[in-house]
Every structure is written in structure tokens, then in C-alpha cells.
Amino acid sequence: MQPKEILTETTEAKTPFCMLQGVLWSIILLLILPRQLSAQEEFVPPPSKHIATIPFTVLTGGIMVVRATLDNSSDSLNFVLDTGSGGISIDSTTCDYLELKREPSNKIVRGIAGMKKVDFTYNHTLRLAGLTVEKLDFHINDYELLTSAYGIKIDGIIGYSFLRRFIVILDYDESLMEVLTPGTYKYPRGGTILKPSFTTIPMQQASIRDNVMVTGRFYFDTGAGLCMLLNDDLVKDSAVLKKKRKIFPTEAEGLGGRKEMNLSVVKEVRIGSYRFRNVPVYIFDDEFNVTSYPVLGGLIGNDILRRFNVILNYPEQQIYIKPNKHYQDSFDYSYTGLSFYLVEGRITVTSVMKDSPAQEAGFKEGDIIVGVENNLSGNIQTYKVLLQNAKSRVKVLIFRNERPLQLSIKVKSVL
């Protein structure tokens, strides 16, 4: 009989109290309804529009270089497209060559290998294929080390000062960068929208699993030619690495020079809805507090990010990623302990790690590399790729004291 009692209560609506309730609800609805309707009147920005399609070149580790000119100069310059840069910058020698006016500042730039106060050169125009960007203030830095590492002149870095003005699509399948105006944009199907924290550099949440699972925030850094860079404090505090995990001494280049660090592997890395297994990671002592640990745990580099076609929507603080044809590419597990750079036109060995395959093979600092596996092109990019063949023995032709010498190096695997 209880259902009937409920029905009776709901149909007795003729008492004064119930009538008062009805009036009150009517007033409330009248107050709420206009707000609900007005909430649907949302301002929608105009659709984004295509501006230009610009080719880029991918260097070792996945970093991208675009060609551009500055102001009214006809000299073509090489700029790295770098989400890990909080501004836009130009090499000091390029600045002097173009006779740009320098102005001192109190601003300091910070990188993994150092900190330095920088000068600025103001109000310049960057010209890319089909795109002109005006009123840019460049800080002036020294990119001689990057030039030596990649074997091509690096004239500057394009970062936040450029990216914040546009929607930028990076198509690694075709090596093309499309630039659009800010506005309403419909992302293609089949990918994931990331919503990183934004200051000038996007900070994306990611998870690392090896001994345990660790989740944190990492810089989203297309200018880093590696998979991941982890703060040594994060690794120690979380005990993320397995106790028997192999660790290899190595070095990498960054602002301020070369920096010693360690190389290892983690079982899994997750970004958004995507996961990668057995990922090489570099571990560094963040003595200059680049990551402000524990705020950040390190960075995600472009040897992971290049496996997606990426849409950088800084105006909406969104990044969209969709797997491309490189998604299944194997990672570089090779380890030689050999560092070499282009110095005064010659590919020169700059360091040999202790107890490394390079030391066992007999390499010494100052050796000049003239060929790898019968390739005598003198292209440092090609030589680095030929030495990425883990578990193989590679022949290297060098000059030492102006005499030719052939060495054989057995490339280790970090797995």
C-alpha cells in the first residue's frame, strides 16, 4: 500500500502551503531561466586561417631546424624550433655578422650546464617562407657548441615569443610546419588533446615506470634531442629505477657547455593516452635548478615527441598529438662513451668516457674522425647515425698526429 500513499501525497496540491510552494518555484524558475539562456550565448572566436607552410629539417635526436632571414638581410639563417625556450634568441656571432645593435640587460637565461646574463637586440622582423613576424626582441646567446654538435651553423632558437602568436602544426611525416592565425580550430580525429600547464614553457604531466610508477610534470621540449631527461633528485627520491638497472656515464650539450650525466632505460613512459616501452633516459644533476624540483621532474624531448604530429595551440593553452609513421620507430639503445664535435672544420673527439667501448677501442681526445664504416662523407650527422647500431662492431678511420689509424669499436646496448 505504500506506493498509493506516495501517489496520494503528490496529488494533494490544493493546500495553502502547497500553493505557496508553487508560487515560490515559479519565481525561482523565472530568475534562473534567463541566466541559463544567457549562458548559452557564448562568444566564439572566428575560425583560424592558414598563413604559411614552411619546410623543416630534422637533425639527430629529432630537433627541427627552419630557414629564415632577419630584417632586410638576404642571408639565410638556421633556427631551431624549440618549445623549451621561453623567448627567441640569436647566436652572438650571427648578431655581430648582421651588425645588430646590442643592448645590455639584467636578464639571466638558465640551462642544464650554466647560467648567464644576456644582451638583447630589439624590434626585429623574422621572415620565413610565406610568413613575416614583426616586433621581436631577441636575446643574444652563444650557440657555437650546438653548431659543433650538429655540423651546421645554428643561428638562433625560435621559442615562446613566436609560438604564442599562432597555432603551429608540426607534420613529421612530411617535414612541414603549418602556421595558422589564432581562432577556432577543429582538431583531427585519432589523437589526444593535452592540457599542459603554461608559463612560457609548457609543462606536461607524464608517468615513468620501472621499479615503481612515478607521475610528475615535465617540460614539453622540442629543442631537446633525446627521449627524456630526469632530475637526479627525482630518481633518488622515488627509487624509480630498478636496483640492477645499468647506468652508463655520458655527456650532453646544453646552455653553458657540455655536461656530464648518466644514461639508462626505464620500462615504460606514458604521455596522455600513449605509452612507450623501454625508453632511454638521461639523468642529470640539476645544479642550476632548471626544473625547480619537485615542481618538475625533468623534460620530455623530441626523440619521443617526433613520433607524433603535433599541434601547438599556445593561444588556447593546448597541445594536440597524433601518432605518425615514426611512432613505432625503435629507440636508440647504443652506447659508445665517445663524444665528438665539429671543431674548425674537423670532426674531433672531445671526450672518452672511462671504461667505455670507446676507451676499450683505443680512442683518445684530439683524434680526428675521417670515416665510419667506409663512409668518408665528413658528415657528422651521418657518422652519429652509423654509431647508433647497438651490439655491433663498427670500424672508424681516424687521424692521430697526422697519421691514419683504423679503430674497431664494439657498440654496447643500454638495454
Side-chain angles (χ1 to χ4, degrees):
M1 298 301 292
Q2 191 172 351
K4 190 173 181 179
E5 290 175 358
I6 294 173
L7 178 62
T8 302
E9 290 175 358
T10 58
T11 56
E12 290 178 353
K14 295 182 180 180
T15 66
F17 177 73
C18 290
M19 292 176 67
L20 180 60
Q21 278 187 316
V23 171
L24 288 173
W25 276 114
S26 298
I27 294 171
I28 291 170
L29 286 172
L30 287 171
L31 290 172
I32 292 175
L33 189 58
R35 294 185 183 182
Q36 290 177 329
L37 291 173
S38 63
Q40 296 174 16
E41 295 174 359
E42 181 183 358
F43 171 75
V44 178
S48 60
K49 294 182 180 180
H50 170 86
I51 302 174
T53 300
I54 302 161
F56 62 79
T57 302
V58 179
L59 303 182
T60 307
I63 72 167
M64 299 161 291
V65 172
V66 296
R67 306 281 285 176
T69 60
L70 200 61
D71 299 330
N72 296 318
S73 172
S74 60
D75 291 298
S76 185
L77 308 175
N78 295 315
F79 284 88
V80 175
L81 191 71
D82 186 3
T83 58
S85 168
I88 191 167
S89 58
I90 192 164
D91 177 61
S92 54
T93 58
T94 304
C95 180
D96 293 341
Y97 172 77
L98 296 176
E99 299 182 345
L100 305 180
K101 182 181 178 182
R102 290 174 175 250
E103 294 190 26
S105 78
N106 292 320
K107 293 187 178 180
I108 294 174
V109 294
R110 178 170 51 183
I112 63 171
M115 300 170 62
K116 62 184 294 188
K117 187 181 290 188
V118 293
D119 293 343
F120 272 75
T121 180
Y122 294 101
N123 196 25
H124 294 285
T125 299
L126 186 71
R127 304 182 191 280
L128 300 102
L131 174 64
T132 298
V133 187
E134 299 177 330
K135 297 180 180 179
L136 289 170
D137 300 332
F138 291 76
H139 72 261
I140 302 167
N141 215 330
D142 181 0
Y143 296 126
E144 180 182 1
L145 184 62
L146 289 180
T147 294
S148 298
Y150 292 109
I152 66 169
K153 181 73 169 71
I154 301 299
D155 294 291
I157 290 176
I158 296 174
Y160 177 76
S161 298
F162 172 88
L163 296 170
R164 68 182 178 84
R165 303 184 183 201
F166 307 103
I167 297 174
V168 177
I169 303 173
L170 304 175
D171 183 345
Y172 288 93
D173 290 327
E174 303 295 334
S175 294
L176 293 173
M177 175 176 77
E178 185 180 0
V179 181
L180 296 85
T181 61
T184 304
Y185 182 82
K186 184 178 180 180
Y187 296 106
R189 296 178 63 184
T192 296
I193 297 177
L194 305 178
K195 295 185 178 180
S197 301
F198 269 82
T199 50
T200 56
I201 302 174
M203 296 170 285
Q204 173 61 34
Q205 182 171 295
S207 298
I208 306 164
R209 182 171 66 90
D210 198 56
N211 180 48
V212 295
M213 173 79 80
V214 176
T215 299
R217 292 192 302 171
F218 301 84
Y219 283 132
F220 189 100
D221 192 352
T222 61
L226 44 76
C227 290
M228 289 197 78
L229 181 66
L230 304 181
N231 187 309
D232 184 55
D233 290 328
L234 169 73
V235 174
K236 290 177 180 176
D237 289 348
S238 65
V240 64
L241 292 183
K242 291 182 177 179
K243 290 183 179 180
K244 294 184 179 180
R245 180 66 73 188
K246 296 178 182 177
I247 295 178
F248 301 87
T250 186
E251 69 174 26
E253 59 277 344
L255 178 66
R258 297 191 294 269
K259 184 173 178 64
E260 292 185 1
M261 53 186 66
N262 292 314
L263 175 63
S264 191
V265 171
V266 294
K267 188 180 243 182
E268 182 181 271
V269 171
R270 296 185 186 180
I271 303 170
S273 58
Y274 305 102
R275 65 178 65 187
F276 298 95
R277 298 191 183 278
N278 296 322
V279 179
V281 294
Y282 286 80
I283 304 164
F284 81 118
D285 176 12
D286 191 5
E287 59 183 308
F288 299 102
N289 200 28
V290 174
T291 61
S292 300
Y293 178 79
V295 176
L296 295 171
L299 63 83
I300 305 165
N302 222 39
D303 206 14
I304 285 182
L305 302 179
R306 70 176 181 84
R307 299 162 192 271
F308 301 92
N309 288 337
V310 179
I311 301 175
L312 303 170
N313 193 343
Y314 277 45
E316 293 297 321
Q317 298 193 349
Q318 296 176 346
I319 295 176
Y320 175 88
I321 58 175
K322 181 179 179 180
N324 60 28
K325 66 183 181 183
H326 303 289
Y327 185 75
Q328 299 291 345
D329 285 359
S330 61
F331 291 109
D332 174 21
Y333 300 113
S334 64
Y335 174 69
T336 63
L338 181 68
S339 293
F340 51 90
Y341 294 83
L342 188 66
V343 180
E344 295 180 352
R346 302 199 294 182
I347 300 174
T348 306
V349 174
T350 55
S351 66
V352 179
M353 295 295 162
K354 185 179 179 181
D355 299 326
S356 67
Q359 187 182 63
E360 293 173 5
F363 284 94
K364 295 182 179 181
E365 291 184 17
D367 288 345
I368 308 300
I369 299 177
V370 294
V372 178
E373 286 293 285
N374 299 319
N375 185 301
L376 304 174
S377 64
N379 187 312
I380 192 171
Q381 299 276 324
T382 301
Y383 291 174
K384 286 183 177 182
V385 171
L386 290 171
L387 283 164
Q388 288 177 351
N389 194 1
K391 297 183 179 180
S392 68
R393 188 169 288 278
V394 180
K395 294 178 181 179
V396 182
L397 179 64
I398 67 167
F399 266 81
R400 181 182 297 165
N401 299 324
E402 304 302 326
R403 288 187 163 186
L405 179 65
Q406 182 171 281
L407 302 178
S408 178
I409 182 171
K410 187 174 181 180
V411 182
K412 279 187 180 180
S413 171
V414 296
L415 267 177

